[in-house]
Amino acid sequence: MPRRLLDMSRLNLENFRRELASVDALPQLCLLAVISGALTGIIMIAFRELIELGALVLMPDGHAEAFESLPTMVRMGLPVVAVILIGLGLGWQKKSARRLGITHVIERFSFHQGVMVRDNWLNQWWVGVVSLLGGLSAGREGPAIHLGAGASGWIGQLLKLPHNSLRVLVGCGVAAGISASFNTPIAGVIFAMEVVMMEYTLTGFMPVMLASATGAVITQLHFGSAPAFMMPELIEPRLLDIPWLLLMALAIGIMAGGFIRLTRLGDRLARVPWAVRLLMAGALTGTVACFYPQVQGIGYDSVETILTGQAGLDVLLALALGKLLLTAITLACGIPVGIVGPTLVMGAAAGALFGLGASAVLPSMVGEPNLYVMMGMAAMMGAVLQAPLAAIMALVELTHSPDIILYGMLSVLSAALTARMAWRTQGFFVMTRQGHTQHPLQQPLMQALSRVGVGAVMDRSVTVTAAVITRERARVILDARPTWLLIHRQSDQHKADREPGKAPLALLAADMARALEEKDQAGVEQKDSINLLEIPGKRLELAPIDLQATLSEAFACLDDQRVDALYVRHITAPMMHRVSGIITREAIENYYH
């Protein structure tokens, strides 16, 4: 009885995988999305509590961003200690394990079908905590997205789900990570679609929305519904603000493009030993922090100071330019820190400077400076990420003021366009990817094929057979009515599993039936065997592919192996005698067309 239950559960899981391979598996994806969002929310709670626990030990008042309350020498030394710890922890590992944050998530999503790496995920925990508590100019959203995407992806990897559903799960983790960080579920969805997944489809949109909402609910149950930083209760824009906002957007666009270009200095600094680069970033941060500790950490407390009008001009300049330089140089030196939080702080400071200027020139004709603060935050985020829609939605959700959408659109789009045209940038995460080839998801064919698993298109009517069989065995095979025969070339099938040797061949069962009929008509003795490698018919060279693969992976494999068809290996027993099906180049092309 227990064995029967085990077989039933295995059968149900296989059906679940098969349904997920289709492009229309919305109910199954939505169920996984809720699990993904809840898991990401729990992880975000654990990550933030871990930071607060460290702050209780390091900070006098227990606040994670109270660097101003530390003695001067302590806050100067913290960044150096932080980079030393990061160097010691990552230095002995391979370079690929140092890739963390949103950049790593996009790389795994784009080039590895969303399969996440455990070592990088584990490194993200402690590197994120050390960076923030150590006073480096860093954000927590990058770690949140990596941790959420990694945990969500592992749900699919644990269940051995098709890679097309694994990609959706990673997108769910990204959205839930942003949503849990800012309490902005809609912005989380748009960010995942605009920055990571780079597509808007119903199959991806609905699960990502569910995951984002679930992540927000979980974190709100623990931390409450307050946003990441306190917003002004009322912002009243005026039409006369538009010229000043456009001028501000132009300046922020130039700052954003310069920020992206500075991070690219890492290519030139590659010749400098990594340890030297780490110490250089830590020492530079400590030096600036000696005079302006506001540049350390995320800086959300500084945003609240700006919104209350308590920040001086020198502090605003330090946050707008100093934090920009420190964050860019830290990244260029090879320290994987988050950038979303720092970009918001830079934009808030730059916006406050323009708001003060507008109030000084036209004191009774323009809106209050806080309008410029909020517009500056959205403009900088949209320009650096080249994700204008995500920035606008974050602005609306944070302010709860739909009246500023027009002004937000003008500011964000102007800044994003300025950064793109003046500096020829395509966004931070596009510019920092390895290589300079076109992004796979910018190719319409590969984008469409990535949404479907091979299990949805392959021909399951396959029988595995030896090359030489008796005519009696041939009739038994034909009685099962297969479409394809998969021929392995070794005489012993088990030896073929252990020692693959030559690649197997695929033959249409109709060709064997025709050859068998010709032998019967010729009066050949029934005892004679039939050699499937010699009978007339077109035999296709085969290469293996996993059942979890997407059609884009299958298409690439066909080109790489220079074959016309693939045999799909079973998940639980990837041997040649457990073939799930055959997929041909023609089947993929017919599906796309």
Side-chain angles (χ1 to χ4, degrees):
M1 188 69 177
R3 184 174 182 180
R4 183 179 179 183
L5 291 175
L6 181 63
D7 292 339
M8 288 296 293
S9 64
R10 184 177 299 170
L11 179 62
N12 291 335
L13 184 56
E14 288 183 4
N15 288 337
F16 190 64
R17 294 186 186 118
R18 184 179 302 177
E19 292 166 351
L20 282 170
S22 171
V23 73
D24 300 320
L26 266 179
Q28 296 83 357
L29 287 173
C30 287
L31 173 62
L32 292 171
V34 172
I35 299 172
S36 167
L39 181 59
T40 301
I42 293 170
I43 287 176
M44 269 307 301
I45 292 171
F47 183 68
R48 290 173 63 175
E49 289 293 347
L50 192 60
I51 294 172
E52 293 298 328
L53 182 62
L56 290 175
V57 178
L58 292 176
M59 303 297 178
D61 57 359
H63 192 277
E65 294 193 70
F67 295 99
E68 298 89 342
S69 62
L70 292 173
T72 303
M73 295 305 296
V74 174
R75 67 171 181 255
M76 288 181 62
L78 269 180
V80 177
V81 173
V83 297
I84 290 174
L85 290 175
I86 292 173
L88 292 175
L90 297 179
W92 61 273
Q93 302 183 48
K94 54 187 178 182
K95 288 186 178 180
S96 59
R98 303 175 189 171
R99 298 186 64 81
L100 309 175
I102 304 174
T103 304
H104 176 70
V105 173
I106 293 175
E107 178 186 339
R108 301 304 300 182
F109 184 91
S110 304
F111 301 102
H112 302 279
Q113 304 299 324
V115 178
M116 304 300 291
V117 184
R118 183 191 61 183
D119 291 345
N120 300 67
W121 189 80
L122 293 175
N123 284 334
Q124 182 64 89
W125 279 95
W126 67 268
V127 171
V129 172
V130 169
S131 299
L132 292 171
L133 291 178
L136 296 175
S137 182
R140 72 172 180 233
E141 293 73 28
I145 288 172
H146 187 177
L147 295 175
S152 300
W154 281 350
I155 296 173
Q157 290 174 237
L158 182 65
L159 297 177
K160 297 182 179 180
L161 301 181
H163 288 168
N164 62 313
S165 59
L166 192 63
R167 294 161 61 85
V168 176
L169 278 173
V170 170
C172 289
V174 171
I178 287 289
S179 174
S181 295
F182 291 111
N183 278 334
T184 54
I186 298 179
V189 173
I190 303 301
F191 182 92
M193 293 288 186
E194 198 171 20
V195 177
V196 179
M197 303 178 76
M198 299 185 73
E199 61 176 350
Y200 290 90
T201 62
L202 182 63
T203 306
F205 196 69
M206 289 183 66
V208 169
M209 283 187 69
L210 270 175
S212 184
T214 305
V217 168
I218 294 297
T219 51
Q220 286 182 20
L221 288 173
H222 186 80
F223 295 112
S225 58
F229 30 78
M230 298 307 297
M231 297 288 106
E233 293 184 1
L234 183 63
I235 298 178
E236 295 182 355
R238 304 178 185 179
L239 290 176
L240 287 175
D241 286 307
I242 292 178
W244 282 97
L245 288 174
L246 292 177
L247 183 62
M248 177 200 73
L250 292 175
I252 286 180
I254 293 172
M255 290 172 60
F259 172 80
I260 296 173
R261 287 296 181 186
L262 280 173
T263 61
R264 297 297 293 169
L265 289 176
D267 296 338
R268 298 184 180 181
L269 293 175
R271 299 178 181 178
V272 180
W274 190 52
V276 175
R277 284 181 277 152
L278 293 182
L279 290 175
M280 183 170 63
L284 184 60
T285 303
T287 302
V288 177
C290 175
F291 305 98
Y292 296 101
Q294 293 88 350
V295 300
Q296 295 185 282
I298 308 175
Y300 289 164
D301 58 336
S302 299
V303 173
E304 293 184 2
T305 302
I306 293 171
L307 289 171
T308 56
Q310 299 176 4
L313 286 176
D314 59 333
V315 173
L316 292 176
L317 285 170
L319 288 172
L321 299 178
K323 197 167 183 68
L324 184 150
L325 291 171
L326 286 178
T327 308
I329 291 173
T330 300
L331 288 164
C333 289
I335 303 175
V337 296
I339 68 160
V340 178
T343 58
L344 293 175
V345 178
M346 302 170 207
L353 288 170
F354 275 89
L356 292 174
S359 298
V361 176
L362 301 170
S364 60
M365 302 179 66
V366 297
E368 57 183 11
N370 279 345
L371 169 67
Y372 293 83
V373 174
M374 300 308 302
M375 295 299 134
M377 293 170 66
M380 181 64 80
M381 176 182 171
V384 170
L385 304 181
Q386 287 295 304
L389 188 55
I392 293 169
M393 292 311 304
L395 175 68
V396 173
E397 286 190 285
L398 286 171
T399 59
H400 302 286
S401 178
D403 296 335
I404 65 174
I405 291 181
L406 169 64
Y407 303 87
M409 291 174 64
L410 292 173
S411 302
V412 172
L413 294 175
S414 299
L417 187 61
T418 300
R420 197 176 187 92
M421 299 301 294
W423 292 93
R424 300 185 183 276
T425 62
Q426 299 179 357
F428 176 81
F429 295 113
V430 175
M431 294 291 286
T432 55
R433 289 194 189 105
Q434 290 181 332
H436 302 283
T437 57
Q438 187 180 21
H439 189 288
L441 298 185
Q442 291 172 336
Q443 304 172 23
L445 172 62
M446 301 308 288
Q447 191 177 63
L449 296 182
S450 295
R451 303 185 194 124
V452 187
V454 294
V457 179
M458 69 183 184
D459 192 334
R460 299 177 183 274
S461 182
V462 179
T463 297
V464 180
T465 179
V468 180
I469 57 175
T470 64
R471 294 170 67 182
E472 181 181 358
R473 172 60 182 164
R475 290 191 175 88
V476 171
I477 291 175
L478 291 175
D479 288 341
R481 299 181 179 276
T483 302
W484 290 96
L485 304 177
L486 191 149
I487 309 168
H488 55 74
R489 305 190 194 185
Q490 285 85 349
S491 58
D492 184 3
Q493 181 172 323
H494 295 288
K495 182 178 179 182
D497 293 335
R498 296 189 303 269
E499 303 174 6
K502 295 182 179 180
L505 299 174
L507 176 71
L508 285 170
D511 291 333
M512 184 178 73
R514 191 178 303 109
L516 198 61
E517 184 180 355
E518 291 176 356
K519 284 183 177 290
D520 290 340
Q521 292 176 353
V524 180
E525 294 184 10
Q526 293 291 327
K527 294 182 180 180
D528 286 354
S529 60
I530 181 170
N531 191 332
L532 299 179
L533 299 179
E534 296 177 355
I535 64 174
K538 183 179 179 181
R539 279 164 284 273
L540 303 179
E541 290 280 351
L542 296 178
I545 195 167
D546 293 330
L547 184 57
Q548 294 172 273
T550 63
L551 292 187
S552 63
E553 290 178 279
F555 192 81
C557 185
L558 287 169
D559 288 340
D560 293 341
Q561 300 295 328
R562 297 182 180 180
V563 295
D564 292 319
L566 306 169
Y567 68 92
V568 184
R569 296 179 294 197
H570 197 273
I571 292 174
T572 57
M575 298 296 186
M576 199 177 296
H577 65 281
R578 290 296 304 274
V579 174
S580 295
I582 284 180
I583 185 166
T584 62
R585 186 185 298 272
E586 183 182 6
I588 297 175
E589 292 174 349
N590 288 340
Y591 176 84
Y592 177 70
H593 293 308

